[in-house]
Amino acid sequence: MTWVPVVVFRMSLKLALALFLLGAFYPILEALDNGLARTPPMGWLTWERFRCDTNCKKNPKNCISENLMMEMADRMAEDGYKDAGYEYVNLDDCWSAKERDAQERLQGDPERFPSGMKALGNYIHSRGLKFGIYADYGTKTCSGFPGSWGHFELDAQTFADWGVDMMKLDSCSSNVTTYSKGYPEMAHALNATGRPILFNCKWPFVLPHYGMKINYTLIAEYCNTWRNFWDIREKWSLVLMIVDYYALNQDVLIPASGPGHFNDPDMLVVGDNGLTVDQAQAHFAMWSILAAPLLMANDLRNISIPRRNILLNKEVIAVNQDPLGIMGRLVLQFSDRVNLWVKQLSKPQEWAVVFLNRYPSPQTVSLSLQQLGLKSLSGYNLRDIITHSDIGYRDSSKKYKYTIPATGALMMRIHP
Ligand code: GLA
């Protein structure tokens, strides 16, 4: 834990010294340093696929309920996702009852979560997985359920009592001018429970819309991950829009990323049918090179084999989970068609590269590795980590041709 002695700046030096000597110098506000998210978190969550379906009579298989969560936990444990590193099973909005209970605590909707939230946490843990939940900083969640405003400590404790391991704190119905005080207060409340709870914040997202600057140093001190852009949907144009936001702001976003604290470009929509297989592959490659959380929003009970294979590609996941935690950088663009992203890996001189083809026909580009900033005199060995095949040796200064599928990606791991 890191102690942040905010109060000391407000008191006289003499008094601070006297308290220090008396051993009475205690922390007022802790930073989040909870030891979590040393690499980007991986898991599954309800939102983009199941949205706010609360009608279990009409849609018993797809409504937000304990059954849905347990079925997904089963699929994660039995179908290889857990072995590949996916561990959080997360509720998003619409899980709670419309009212708090008599003690003001949040409660799961009694019809959809009849066994109770603690029992759900226990089930998820019994499958060797972790339990994530959604809350909102303001008075109401984005779908109109009770928010946490005025109840930060109580809600943090309630979640800890249920065995929650991760919390997304959305920012609907809230006052943006209070965030720099309020988000740290929630981080403090989580820490005070004594249970390590990974903290995802929607803190930076709206600030620019109110003409406010984003202070990522402060945010990274209190949040493990943070959303900074609009919601993803199952559309190629939206995947590209998010990628473009990351490219445009990369000089600010790259330094913000590292072990314990990561940018969150939103969930993965690999598995749903809104993207072609090549687009889904490119989306997964991009989220991996961005060191983004890999939280799948899909139906693991009904997923095609090619999409499942994308999500279980251990070589691509290894790039995302590289211990350096560096976010990749856009280094080169071929007109408006092909973008080249490069990420440094923890093994000396090792790199990951994504060629992103935005265009609806295959593209061939010719370039030397030197153009990507890779200048080793002895050249490099290249491996295609999407198809798991070695490409072979490449001289750094010579130009070679690379072909990228239509609205798709080529992803390579490179070492001298
Ligand atoms: C916001 C968030 C989404 C989702 C919904 C739920 O739009 O950005 O990720 O949590 O709220 O209502």
Side-chain angles (χ1 to χ4, degrees), residues 87-308:
E87 54 176 351
Y88 291 93
V89 189
N90 294 4
L91 282 165
D92 205 279
D93 207 345
C94 310
W95 59 268
S96 83
K98 283 280 185 186
E99 306 291 339
R100 289 173 175 268
D101 73 6
Q103 283 85 47
E104 292 283 299
R105 287 173 307 196
L106 288 172
Q107 50 183 341
D109 180 281
E111 282 178 16
R112 293 180 288 122
F113 295 87
S115 315
M117 304 308 283
K118 194 173 167 52
L120 176 58
N122 287 343
Y123 184 82
I124 292 169
H125 293 149
S126 77
R127 305 264 28 195
L129 298 162
K130 292 182 173 163
F131 178 28
I133 210 156
Y134 168 100
D136 190 282
Y137 180 99
T139 50
K140 291 260 183 232
T141 72
C142 299
S143 299
F145 289 79
S148 291
W149 183 251
H151 297 90
F152 285 179
E153 283 179 20
L154 178 62
D155 291 355
Q157 191 55 55
T158 305
F159 294 156
D161 294 344
W162 293 345
V164 163
D165 304 293
M166 172 170 182
M167 183 182 72
K168 167 173 173 179
L169 191 64
D170 213 335
S171 60
C172 280
S173 310
S174 64
N175 178 347
V176 65
T177 62
T178 65
Y179 289 4
S180 55
K181 187 165 169 283
Y183 271 96
E185 270 174 23
M186 183 54 110
H188 181 228
L190 291 174
N191 267 8
T193 67
R195 184 174 178 85
I197 299 180
L198 197 153
F199 190 23
N200 171 257
C201 304
K202 194 84 164 297
W203 179 353
F205 172 57
V206 290
L207 299 184
H209 305 286
Y210 289 88
M212 296 165 75
K213 280 200 86 160
I214 303 175
N215 179 348
Y216 279 109
T217 311
L218 184 69
I219 292 171
E221 208 171 305
Y222 295 102
C223 305
N224 294 115
T225 57
W226 50 80
R227 281 277 308 281
N228 39 25
F229 197 59
W230 296 101
D231 290 7
I232 197 166
R233 301 298 292 263
E234 296 154 40
K235 274 180 105 179
W236 179 239
S237 58
L238 283 178
V239 171
L240 289 184
M241 196 166 94
I242 296 175
V243 167
D244 288 344
Y245 174 85
Y246 271 67
L248 196 66
N249 295 285
Q250 61 180 356
D251 288 339
V252 176
L253 298 178
I254 290 170
S257 174
H261 44 93
F262 294 98
N263 297 293
D264 176 7
D266 208 1
M267 56 204 91
L268 289 169
V269 291
V270 176
D272 307 308
N273 293 326
L275 301 180
T276 65
V277 171
D278 282 340
Q279 291 169 352
Q281 178 63 76
H283 167 36
F284 193 63
M286 279 310 306
W287 263 233
S288 294
I289 206 157
L290 290 173
L294 299 181
L295 295 172
M296 308 176 282
N298 55 12
D299 187 347
L300 297 173
R301 301 164 303 187
N302 297 302
I303 182 167
S304 69
I305 290 173
R307 290 178 170 84
R308 178 166 172 260

